[in-house]
Amino acid sequence: MRRVFKWFAFLFGLVGGWFLFKWLWESWQPQQIVSAPMPTVEPERIEPLETSTTSPAPPTSTPAEQTSPAPEPAPSPQTLPEEAPLAYCVRCRKKQPVNNPVYETTPKGRRRLRGTCAVCGAKVSQFVKST
């Protein structure tokens, strides 16, 4: 009889010890915060603008007809500058002008310039100001 009691006490100790260990382990673990998954956003791709090489002829008018020159509109962020933008080329190890510049927005909302190096033809990419 004593031997049976020892086996029951042994088994009860194992099971009770397991539940005690499990309870302590769960109480010491940090709480997990369950949130909704972030929606994926496709990057907005902005193509380079077509620039014409010919400039329009200046209007022919007399100085009396000209009152004041019209203010130039502020350049929008999607327009390309007249001079070629510069980006760091890894092959050349310095800033070089960029051929075929493309301004795009990353999925996180940052603006990026992509193109090819005008000197060696390597792909270059650089983050630019958003405004």
Side-chain angles (χ1 to χ4, degrees):
M1 186 70 169
R2 190 179 255 183
R3 183 172 265 166
V4 174
F5 178 74
K6 285 185 178 181
W7 278 106
F8 279 118
F10 175 73
L11 290 175
F12 182 75
L14 282 179
V15 173
W18 169 253
F19 283 111
L20 178 65
F21 175 76
K22 184 178 173 186
W23 177 77
L24 288 173
W25 181 262
E26 289 174 356
S27 65
W28 287 343
Q29 294 298 318
Q31 296 294 324
Q32 294 181 356
I33 300 172
V34 179
S35 63
M38 293 292 293
T40 58
V41 179
E42 292 294 323
E44 178 183 328
R45 192 165 179 97
I46 301 172
E47 300 296 327
L49 298 176
E50 298 293 327
T51 57
S52 62
T53 56
T54 60
S55 62
T60 56
S61 62
T62 60
E65 294 174 1
Q66 293 179 350
T67 55
S68 65
E72 292 185 17
S76 66
Q78 297 180 353
T79 60
L80 294 175
E82 285 75 20
E83 67 272 352
L86 298 176
Y88 183 78
C89 177
V90 180
R91 286 189 195 168
C92 301
R93 296 186 180 178
K94 63 180 179 177
K95 285 199 171 195
Q96 298 288 1
V98 178
N99 287 339
N100 305 325
V102 175
Y103 291 89
E104 63 185 15
T105 305
T106 63
K108 289 190 175 184
R110 293 183 70 184
R111 301 269 295 150
R112 177 171 52 194
L113 164 70
R114 279 190 168 184
T116 57
C117 176
V119 177
C120 66
K123 291 181 183 178
V124 292
S125 177
Q126 177 175 336
F127 288 107
V128 294
K129 290 183 181 178
S130 61
T131 57

